[in-house]
Amino acid sequence: MVRLASSSGGIFTLLAERTIDNGGVVFGAAFDKNWDVRHICIENKSELRKVRGSKYVQSIIGNCYKQAKTHLDTGLEVLFSGTPCQIAGLKRFLRKDYMNLKTMDVVCYGTPSPMVWKMYLDEVRLKYDISQIIDIQFRDKTEGWNNFSLSIKYKDKDGKEKVFRETLNENIFMKCFLSNLCLRPSCYAYPTRNGKSGSDITLADLWGAENICPEVDDDKGISLVLLRNKDFTLPGFVKKEIEFSKAVMYNPSIESDVTLPDKRDRFFRLLHSDGIHKATVKCTTKSRF
Ligand SMILES: Cc1cc2nc3c(=O)[nH]c(=O)nc-3n(C[C@H](O)[C@H](O)[C@H](O)COP(=O)(O)OP(=O)(O)OC[C@H]3O[C@@H](n4cnc5c(N)ncnc54)[C@H](O)[C@@H]3O)c2cc1C
């Protein structure tokens, strides 16, 4: 259940639960009531679902660095999760090491612009006559982990509950994201990539699992865990060591920045006149849309 609701193998939830069991708090990215993505602080396991799952939008940190410092100064265990640049930012904000701080980042392809996400949701609302969004999953595994979908559970104008689901190859927001058109400018030259954020642990998808460890691959999600300077041994999960080079072979975002497309400026110019769908189609070659 947790694994299916998680992007990869659900290791984040194990780390978070352990922190809360120790009386600590967990920071992570959640949707707010407007479906913008922002960091929040979680104190109870029952609320972990809010921060579970990747949201492919730059999350707003707000005052979470300050809140984390307050908790750390009172001696509470803190697990702070985020993108590598958010973890590097936290470390610069704190300006000293805390024994009670554990930091976890994700291997990050790059984060799409919140404005583009907002425009996408507006287009979807209009197209599907949505009166209320109930839930959004960027990594819905209904069609499998490898062929994941963006799904939106909603109520239409008649109050009927419906689900809109498109796989990563069908969905226009994912197309825009994975064509690198709408990433934040800093994502194209990411100085904190590949362990340079100073995080204790990095989580990712073990892409290529069908070749690396076919004996455990069931297309429901396997986590790649890159451990650095702290012992994160966890009970209750199946562990297998693999060569770093193998992981990178199937997951270039571990080491390499994404390419800045020539058409990024054009995309942002077109966005306001044409909307995300048309702008993405116009700026991607061999488009299926
Ligand atoms: C923007 C982004 C790009 C990614 N790119 C890659 C990639 O190229 N290759 C790869 O292998 N893995 C990538 N990941 C990581 C991967 O998708 C999983 O998040 C990771 O493996 C953890 O999965 P899990 O199953 O352990 O737990 P999950 O429950 O899926 O993990 C959720 C964790 O991600 C954090 N998170 C979610 N959304 C955001 C956000 N917008 N900003 C900051 N933190 C967020 C939460 O706070 C929580 O800690 C990316 C994640 C994000 C958010």
Side-chain angles (χ1 to χ4, degrees):
M1 169 65 201
V2 165
R3 189 166 160 233
L4 279 182
S6 304
S7 307
S8 315
I11 298 290
F12 163 70
T13 299
L14 284 181
L15 296 174
E17 284 181 345
R18 193 176 63 171
T19 303
I20 292 173
D21 284 343
N22 291 344
V25 295
V26 177
F27 287 85
F31 286 113
D32 68 12
K33 61 179 178 7
N34 300 316
W35 301 99
D36 293 325
V37 179
R38 58 181 73 237
H39 260 62
I40 59 169
C41 178
I42 301 282
E43 298 180 11
N44 300 305
K45 282 193 207 172
S46 61
E47 288 193 290
L48 275 178
R49 60 183 168 75
K50 294 183 185 171
V51 287
R52 193 175 292 137
S54 293
K55 289 100 188 161
Y56 293 130
V57 186
Q58 168 86 41
S59 99
I60 301 161
I61 281 290
N63 67 356
C64 281
Y65 289 166
K66 257 189 175 170
Q67 267 190 66
K69 184 175 183 324
T70 306
H71 288 312
L72 288 166
D73 286 335
T74 60
L76 224 59
E77 185 174 319
V78 171
L79 172 68
F80 202 103
S81 72
T83 58
C85 46
Q86 288 171 334
I87 299 304
L90 171 69
K91 298 234 160 187
R92 287 200 184 156
F93 176 83
L94 294 173
R95 294 167 70 181
K96 69 170 195 176
D97 288 337
Y98 285 86
M99 289 302 290
N100 48 335
L101 171 65
K102 291 193 171 70
T103 50
M104 181 224 102
D105 59 8
V106 289
V107 161
C108 187
Y109 183 86
T111 48
S113 140
M115 179 189 73
V116 173
W117 170 240
K118 228 179 191 12
M119 291 180 78
Y120 170 74
L121 272 191
D122 286 347
E123 282 187 23
V124 173
R125 277 195 185 95
L126 211 63
K127 187 168 172 194
Y128 293 93
D129 231 5
I130 294 177
S131 69
Q132 189 198 343
I133 292 176
I134 301 165
D135 190 30
I136 300 179
Q137 299 289 333
F138 278 92
R139 297 288 299 267
D140 181 320
K141 296 178 181 174
T142 306
E143 303 292 328
W145 169 51
N146 278 282
N147 190 29
F148 66 84
S149 309
L150 193 164
S151 69
I152 303 179
K153 194 170 164 193
Y154 65 94
K155 276 190 188 161
D156 69 9
K157 292 273 156 36
D158 301 323
K160 250 196 180 157
E161 255 186 49
K162 293 184 174 166
V163 179
F164 151 87
R165 181 180 297 113
E166 285 179 345
T167 63
L168 74 161
N169 293 314
E170 297 164 341
N171 181 263
I172 200 74
F173 182 80
M174 292 307 294
K175 174 100 176 165
C176 180
F177 169 33
L178 297 172
S179 307
N180 309 346
L181 288 169
C182 63
L183 305 179
R184 303 302 305 266
S186 54
C187 299
Y188 304 99
Y190 211 139
T192 53
R193 200 181 284 285
N194 199 11
K196 296 190 201 79
S197 67
S199 70
D200 299 309
I201 183 171
T202 301
L203 298 183
D205 293 279
L206 183 68
W207 295 133
E210 65 280 15
N211 299 318
I212 298 171
C213 49
E215 67 284 4
V216 288
D217 179 36
D218 55 3
D219 202 23
K220 291 195 170 87
I222 297 180
S223 290
L224 172 66
V225 180
L226 301 163
L227 278 178
R228 303 231 154 66
N229 48 19
K230 282 187 191 163
D231 179 14
F232 268 91
T233 320
L234 283 171
F237 76 101
V238 185
K239 196 171 78 174
K240 182 180 162 76
E241 280 191 26
I242 60 160
E243 278 171 44
F244 183 70
S245 58
K246 266 198 183 162
V248 175
M249 193 163 85
Y250 294 100
N251 202 336
S253 302
I254 295 172
E255 284 193 333
S256 313
D257 290 331
V258 294
T259 313
L260 172 63
D262 297 343
K263 292 180 179 153
R264 186 178 184 280
D265 287 348
R266 179 163 180 248
F267 169 76
F268 275 95
R269 277 197 306 275
L270 285 174
L271 194 57
H272 295 286
S273 52
D274 291 23
I276 175 176
H277 196 109
K278 280 193 189 152
T280 303
V281 172
K282 284 184 182 173
C283 295
T284 45
T285 46
K286 288 204 276 176
S287 173
R288 296 169 54 183
F289 297 90

